Amino acid sequence: MSSTLPRHVAIIMDGNGRWAQARGLPRAKGHEAGAESVRAVVRECRKRGVEALTLYSFSTENWKRPPEEISALMTLLKQYVLQERAELMEQGIRVRVIGQISRLPLFVRKPLGVLCRDSERNRGMVLNLALSYGSRAEMVHAVRQIGQEIAEGRRDPSTISEQTISNRLYTAGLPDPDLLIRTSGELRLSNFLLWQLAYTEMYVTETHWPDFREDCIDEAFAAFSGRRRRFGKTDAQLTED
């Protein structure tokens, strides 16, 4: 059984729209309510000693949504960065961003870049925001880097290993997630950290993201503690270890 805290927690924050629809509210109100859950979960994970928290905030596929919803999401993101900056710095949280950052509007990129730079030396917890992120695009980016090294004669193809690829992903330097949480009951990965989640324990809850709070973290971590992580070994081998 696993009695340890997950070092790296990844969350697919799903259900903002359904939460709003169930209350007769516009989708933007669901995203606003979801921002409160982000605040609560970041605080709770930092308090518990989680080393890294990766939040699937906006996917490459989300650019297909109505322009007004995208605009509302970007405005909300800027507000979060500005409003939470002081607490994130006080708590020693290092903010990183993964994804196709150049696609984000400048009014978001600028304060986000400043926060990432100013929090770079923080060691309390890494808050990894997946923005304009898609795992397949991430892997294509890594393969192109390796291909360029080979074309320039800087790498022999026979030296390529799993670590070679991991080192060229957006998450380089972070441990792979121990626990993936997905809210709102959906049973799919949605192009999220496909390489990194190879041996991650998955926890799915019917709770919509705006209702996900500290008690939900309790339940997810308790479920994780009850898992037996084999990594390809048998139970007998684990007992011997």
Side-chain angles (χ1 to χ4, degrees), residues 50-82:
V50 171
E51 293 180 24
L53 173 65
T54 297
L55 301 179
Y56 202 9
S57 306
F58 191 86
S59 73
T60 50
E61 290 75 22
N62 286 156
W63 289 113
K64 301 173 186 176
R65 292 189 175 185
E68 59 273 15
E69 182 173 349
I70 293 174
S71 177
L73 281 166
M74 292 298 122
T75 299
L76 189 61
L77 175 59
K78 178 186 176 182
Q79 290 174 351
Y80 177 83
V81 170
L82 296 177

Side-chain angles (χ1 to χ4, degrees), residues 117-143:
R117 182 196 67 205
D118 291 350
S119 67
E120 190 173 6
R121 297 179 183 274
N122 291 347
R123 293 294 178 264
M125 183 180 79
V126 174
L127 174 58
N128 210 30
L129 300 177
L131 290 165
S132 190
Y133 173 86
S135 187
R136 287 185 173 184
E138 176 185 29
M139 287 190 276
V140 167
H141 175 76
V143 170

Side-chain angles (χ1 to χ4, degrees), residues 3-216:
S3 59
T4 59
L5 188 77
R7 294 178 63 197
H8 185 174
V9 177
I11 304 180
I12 300 176
M13 305 179 294
D14 200 11
N16 289 346
R18 275 163 282 182
W19 182 92
Q21 185 178 27
R23 289 161 176 76
L25 300 171
R27 290 177 61 86
K29 291 298 182 181
H31 296 311
E32 290 176 15
E36 293 299 320
S37 291
V38 170
R39 184 174 293 108
V41 168
V42 169
R43 287 174 179 169
E44 189 66 14
C45 285
R46 172 68 179 92
K47 184 172 73 175
R48 290 171 183 248
V50 171
E51 293 180 24
L53 173 65
T54 297
L55 301 179
Y56 202 9
S57 306
F58 191 86
S59 73
T60 50
E61 290 75 22
N62 286 156
W63 289 113
K64 301 173 186 176
R65 292 189 175 185
E68 59 273 15
E69 182 173 349
I70 293 174
S71 177
L73 281 166
M74 292 298 122
T75 299
L76 189 61
L77 175 59
K78 178 186 176 182
Q79 290 174 351
Y80 177 83
V81 170
L82 296 177
Q83 292 173 1
E84 299 304 307
R85 174 190 167 87
E87 182 174 346
L88 291 169
M89 293 299 294
E90 181 182 340
Q91 292 298 315
I93 295 174
R94 179 186 177 189
V95 179
R96 288 179 47 168
V97 182
I98 61 173
Q100 298 174 341
I101 313 306
S102 62
R103 297 183 67 181
L104 298 175
L106 182 60
F107 76 84
V108 173
R109 288 204 314 271
K110 187 173 180 179
L112 199 53
V114 170
L115 179 57
C116 289
R117 182 196 67 205
D118 291 350
S119 67
E120 190 173 6
R121 297 179 183 274
N122 291 347
R123 293 294 178 264
M125 183 180 79
V126 174
L127 174 58
N128 210 30
L129 300 177
L131 290 165
S132 190
Y133 173 86
S135 187
R136 287 185 173 184
E138 176 185 29
M139 287 190 276
V140 167
H141 175 76
V143 170
R144 284 176 176 167
Q145 282 189 318
I146 295 169
Q148 186 68 31
E149 292 171 13
I150 293 171
E152 294 174 356
R154 294 185 287 118
R155 175 173 292 281
D156 185 327
S158 65
T159 66
I160 297 173
S161 65
E162 290 186 10
Q163 193 60 51
T164 305
I165 296 172
S166 293
N167 289 344
R168 283 154 184 79
L169 297 177
Y170 299 145
T171 54
L174 294 177
D176 288 341
D178 300 295
L179 174 64
L180 169 68
I181 299 171
R182 178 154 194 162
T183 59
S184 206
E186 299 293 348
L187 299 174
R188 57 177 176 270
L189 294 178
S190 298
N191 197 19
F192 182 52
L193 301 178
L194 301 179
W195 176 275
Q196 298 91 332
L197 295 177
Y199 279 101
T200 299
E201 298 296 324
M202 299 177 65
Y203 176 83
V204 177
T205 174
E206 295 291 333
T207 302
H208 296 320
W209 179 246
D211 291 326
F212 195 90
R213 291 294 194 274
E214 291 83 351
D215 59 327
C216 301

